[in-house]
């Protein structure tokens, strides 16, 4: 078996803790989950008690404690039917969880700017935590101010945190990418909505800085079987492939591999 | 101890539960999550003569108790399938069935001919729901003439057991089943995903990049059950049921209506261990109801009046 596959598994987890971190956003702790997790990897989380919602949800891992007594934390934004149902699920409920999935990827660079948009702070936070020595700053933007707890967590990373909100309720008034133009870094890794990823790509491409993005897509399996989570790619930069799979090839891609026009048209 | 094995077309399956094409991938993706060695077999992802890139995203949409997919049969193509995918299954102790797709009759036949020379696939399953590029994109399997052509061509190209996976998008499946058998099918897979669509009313756009997709999951199970029942009355070849089975109860129902084997698919997304659990449940059912051999369940339905 592929050694990377040995790390993954199927878990019957219990929701051991839930706490609000922002508007419509909550952190969920699931245990037991024994596997090692790398930043931007994700877990497929079932929706308990809702047989009509078949698919597990691919949710980015926010924090991890591997080992026998291990657990994972995920961030959930109650946006669709499944995530709203998760929000309403009480602590103590059992949930089927599979993972961790996604290719662990090494991001080269010694002064890496980490850019997070909204719920994208989950993977960004874990990346900054696991690569603390190489982070120049963490940039976190959201539509409006989140709860104090999330800013405290970012502070505790020990790396500079730059904050922006679209409505000006905290930090810079406007998109987080405006702050990125002033960044002193040799690489950027971004996780957030598609429009933010594209803005990061444009800024970094203009400045000649290597940039990586962690992507999302609708997904059924998480393991490369269903071919559902396709992201349009430039074949000349993606070993001839027209599409890359978020679960198998990603979720982190070098930004210049993405065919942004086709990606935008897909409205993923 | 119940005998769970089923033999059709001279192939012995250790039990009647298979994983369906498209869900099983190339047989290695589910390693560590779903143990194919506990199952009767696995039907690999459809393979075409040349690689297919697949459809523009979004390719998936969840619907009540089901899902739509419009993957576009993305696959690595015949060369990579033979050179990389089949050899990777060398140590896998389960029956392997290859699934064949094409845009023209010649493409189907070429793939069958190449797979015929390979030891591993025990049988070839032909997906006749692909659009026929030589006939305005109408699916081969929804027209009696093109169904005859494609099945005859595949039959001529291989001596391996030939399964034809029928399209459910026809008004009456019986004549299509009879046609496939007359053209040389050794068994029929009943059926495929049901043509369907979803719309995002906020954006007023279709959800799928391809507009149309195929519905699968428990929502289609009663439809598939009827199709198996109708097909079983129309032909004498073995039937492999495929459509929305999530557990042993569905597998038993499929077998009672006449299916020899049952493919499970979409349920792997919600519960990768479901096929294995279905095997256990099936064994318990047979034990409890006095069936010493599960093969005796096939067609054991007590019909009304």
């Amino acid at each position: 078996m592929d050694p990377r596959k040995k790390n993954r598994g199927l878990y019957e987890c219990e929701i051991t803790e839930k706490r609000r971190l922002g508007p419509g956003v909550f952190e969920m702790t699931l245990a037991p989950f024994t596997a090692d997790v790398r930043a931007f990897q994700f877990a497929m989380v079932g929706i308990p008690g809702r047989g009509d919602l078949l698919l597990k949800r691919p949710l980015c891992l926010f924090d991890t404690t591997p080992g026998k007594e291990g657990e994972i934390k995920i961030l959930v934004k109650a946006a669709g039917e499944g995530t709203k149902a998760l929000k309403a699920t009480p602590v103590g409920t059992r949930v089927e969880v599979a993972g961790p999935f996604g290719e662990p990827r090494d991001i080269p660079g010694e002064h890496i700017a980490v850019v997070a948009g909204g719920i994208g702070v989950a993977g960004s936070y874990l990346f900054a935590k696991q690569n603390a020595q190489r982070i120049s700053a963490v940039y976190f933007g959201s539509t409006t101010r989140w709860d104090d707890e999330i800013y405290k967590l970012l502070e505790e990373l020990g790396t500079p945190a730059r904050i922006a909100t679209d409505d000006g309720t905290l930090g810079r008034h406007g998109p987080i990418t405006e702050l990125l133009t002033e960044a002193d870094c040799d690489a950027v890794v971004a996780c957030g909505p598609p429009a933010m990823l594209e803005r990061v790509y444009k800024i970094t491409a203009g400045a000649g800085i290597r940039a990586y993005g962690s992507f999302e897509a609708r997904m059924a399996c998480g393991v490369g079987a269903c071919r559902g989570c396709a992201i349009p790619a430039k074949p000349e930069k993606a070993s001839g492939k027209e599409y890359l799979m978020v679960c198998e090839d990603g979720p982190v891609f070098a930004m210049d591999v993405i065919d942004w026009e086709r990606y935008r048209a897909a409205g993923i | 101890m119940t005998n769970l094995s089923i033999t059709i077309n001279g192939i012995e399956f250790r039990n009647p539960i298979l994983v369906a094409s498209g869900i099983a991938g190339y047989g290695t993706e589910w390693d560590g999550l779903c143990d194919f060695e506990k199952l009767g077999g696995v039907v690999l992802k459809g393979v075409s003569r040349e690689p297919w890139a697949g459809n523009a995203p979004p390719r998936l949409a969840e619907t009540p108790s089901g899902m739509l997919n419009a993957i576009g049969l993305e696959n690595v193509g015949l060369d990579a399938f033979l050179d990389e995918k089949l050899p990777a299954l060398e140590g896998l102790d389960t029956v392997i069935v290859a699934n064949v797709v094409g845009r023209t009759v010649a493409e189907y036949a070429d793939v069958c001919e190449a797979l015929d020379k390979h030891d591993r696939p025990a049988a070839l399953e032909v997906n006749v729901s692909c659009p026929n590029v030589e006939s305005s994109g109408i699916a081969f399997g929804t027209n009696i003439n093109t169904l005859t052509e494609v099945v005859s061509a595949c039959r001529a190209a291989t001596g391996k057991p030939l399964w034809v996976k029928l399209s459910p998008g026809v008004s009456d499946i019986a004549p299509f089943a009879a046609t496939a058998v007359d053209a040389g099918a050794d068994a029929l897979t009943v059926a495929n995903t049901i043509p369907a669509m979803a719309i995002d009313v906020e954006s007023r756009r279709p959800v799928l990049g391809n507009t149309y997709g195929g519905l699968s999951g428990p929502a289609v199970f009663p439809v598939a059950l009827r199709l198996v029942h109708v097909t079983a009355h129309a032909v004498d070849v073995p039937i492999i049921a495929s459509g929305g089975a999530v557990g042993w109860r569905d597998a038993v129902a499929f077998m009672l209506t006449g299916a020899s084997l049952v493919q499970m698919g979409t349920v792997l997304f919600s519960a990768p261990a479901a096929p294995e659990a279905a095997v256990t449940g099936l064994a318990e059912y047979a034990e409890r109801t006095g069936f010493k051999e599960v093969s005796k369940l096939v067609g054991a339905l007590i019909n009304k009046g």
Side-chain angles (χ1 to χ4, degrees):
Chain A
M1 198 194 289
D2 182 334
R4 284 166 306 180
K5 289 182 184 166
K6 285 191 181 146
N7 188 42
R8 68 191 200 184
L10 196 59
Y11 296 89
E12 188 70 31
C13 291
E14 186 183 325
I15 303 173
T16 55
E17 204 183 332
K18 275 168 86 179
R19 64 167 172 169
R20 199 193 116 110
L21 282 183
V25 179
F26 61 98
E27 177 198 71
M28 198 161 85
T29 307
L30 297 163
F33 194 99
T34 54
D36 280 322
V37 171
R38 295 273 303 275
F40 301 117
Q41 284 193 299
F42 61 90
M44 298 294 285
V45 180
I47 312 295
R50 287 291 300 270
D52 59 325
L53 301 176
L54 293 184
L55 301 180
K56 287 186 163 69
R57 268 51 179 173
L59 296 169
C60 195
L61 292 157
F62 178 48
D63 210 346
T64 168
T65 311
K68 216 171 150 198
E69 306 287 313
E71 60 178 33
I72 48 169
K73 292 181 190 295
I74 53 175
L75 280 195
V76 184
K77 184 180 177 184
E81 279 227 50
T83 44
K84 281 177 187 160
L86 274 182
K87 189 173 180 227
T89 305
V91 167
T93 307
R94 296 205 157 270
V95 184
E96 190 171 298
V97 179
F101 299 133
E103 178 75 17
R105 178 155 189 160
D106 293 319
I107 309 285
E110 292 309 315
H111 301 281
I112 304 172
V114 182
V115 186
I119 195 79
V121 73
S124 305
Y125 170 82
L126 189 55
F127 181 82
K129 193 174 173 183
Q130 292 183 339
N131 297 273
Q133 314 308 317
R134 303 192 292 135
I135 306 300
S136 70
V138 176
Y139 297 78
F140 173 46
S142 53
T143 48
T144 189
R145 181 182 184 145
W146 283 25
D147 298 357
D148 291 344
E149 195 60 28
I150 188 76
Y151 302 106
K152 211 174 113 194
L153 285 170
L154 292 175
E155 282 297 319
E156 284 166 6
L157 287 170
T159 53
R162 309 254 188 273
I163 308 299
T165 48
D166 293 347
D167 63 1
T169 43
L170 188 71
R172 171 96 160 217
H173 188 174
I176 190 67
T177 42
E178 282 177 13
L179 288 172
L180 185 63
T181 53
E182 302 152 15
D184 174 25
C185 61
D186 57 6
V188 172
V189 59
C191 185
M196 185 201 90
L197 294 178
E198 187 168 4
R199 280 200 304 275
V200 170
Y201 169 64
K202 283 182 175 156
I203 292 165
T204 52
I209 298 169
R210 279 174 305 188
Y212 301 83
S214 181
F215 286 71
E216 275 194 327
R218 290 162 189 265
M219 197 179 282
C221 71
V223 298
C226 79
R227 319 308 287 174
C229 56
I231 299 283
K234 292 176 191 151
E236 68 276 17
K237 299 208 172 198
S239 318
K241 293 179 190 171
E242 275 187 55
Y243 296 103
L244 294 168
M245 295 300 136
V246 170
C247 72
E248 186 180 63
D249 307 310
V252 176
F253 299 110
M255 295 266 205
D256 61 353
V257 170
I258 306 301
D259 183 332
W260 291 96
E261 204 165 311
R262 283 164 60 223
Y263 177 59
R264 212 182 309 119
I268 294 168
Chain B
M1 195 65 182
T2 309
N3 178 4
L4 289 176
S5 76
I6 295 273
T7 300
I8 67 163
N9 305 152
I11 309 160
E12 190 186 337
F13 296 82
R14 64 166 66 88
N15 61 58
I17 305 297
L18 276 59
V19 176
S21 182
I23 284 77
Y26 296 109
T28 58
E29 290 86 342
W30 292 96
D31 283 355
L33 301 168
C34 180
D35 186 356
F36 294 156
E37 296 194 345
K38 299 268 170 60
L39 308 179
V42 54
V43 188
L44 303 181
K45 184 159 185 51
V47 59
S48 53
R49 195 173 65 187
E50 283 83 29
W52 288 0
N55 288 329
R59 293 176 171 188
L60 301 170
E62 192 178 50
T63 56
S65 300
M67 62 171 277
L68 304 183
N69 87 79
I71 306 299
L73 295 166
E74 180 195 315
N75 79 93
V76 296
L78 186 57
D79 288 348
F81 184 79
L82 293 171
D83 296 345
E84 298 159 25
K85 302 302 182 185
L86 280 178
L89 302 176
E90 208 176 283
L92 186 68
D93 178 22
T94 198
V95 175
I96 299 291
V97 177
N99 179 288
V100 178
V101 298
R103 289 170 302 198
T104 65
V105 170
E107 286 184 17
Y108 276 102
D110 287 350
V111 175
C112 287
E113 197 180 331
L115 292 174
D116 187 69
K117 299 190 186 90
H118 200 285
D119 290 344
R120 192 62 205 268
L124 307 185
E125 181 183 71
V126 182
N127 175 357
V128 294
S129 296
C130 305
N132 178 356
V133 296
E134 292 171 329
S135 179
S136 352
I138 307 292
F140 288 93
T142 59
N143 175 290
I144 292 286
N145 295 332
T146 51
L147 179 64
T148 305
E149 279 176 47
V150 75
V151 177
S152 304
C154 291
R155 175 73 288 165
T158 182
K160 286 183 190 278
L162 186 69
W163 300 359
V164 174
K165 187 171 185 174
L166 296 175
S167 300
V170 293
S171 54
D172 179 8
I173 202 165
F176 290 89
T179 297
V181 173
D182 288 345
D186 297 309
L188 299 176
T189 303
V190 181
N192 210 318
T193 58
I194 296 173
M197 77 181 287
I199 291 173
D200 177 353
V201 295
E202 300 301 328
S203 69
R204 288 188 284 123
R205 291 169 200 276
V207 174
L208 296 172
N210 188 54
T211 302
Y212 300 148
L215 177 64
S216 65
V220 311
F221 171 72
V223 179
L225 190 62
R226 177 188 168 275
L227 290 171
V228 169
H229 191 252
V230 171
T231 307
H233 283 84
V235 297
D236 287 331
V237 300
I239 294 168
I240 302 105
S242 179
V246 299
W248 67 266
R249 202 180 292 273
D250 301 334
V252 170
F254 269 141
M255 295 182 78
L256 292 176
T257 53
S260 299
L261 301 170
V262 175
Q263 297 181 358
M264 295 175 79
T266 300
V267 68
L268 267 81
F269 301 145
S270 40
E276 210 178 308
V279 173
T280 309
L282 181 61
E284 284 167 5
Y285 172 84
E287 186 89 34
R288 171 160 62 80
T289 52
F291 283 88
K292 296 228 172 357
E293 296 169 15
V294 290
S295 61
K296 298 281 192 259
L297 285 170
V298 179
L301 180 72
I302 302 165
N303 281 295
K304 297 266 183 187

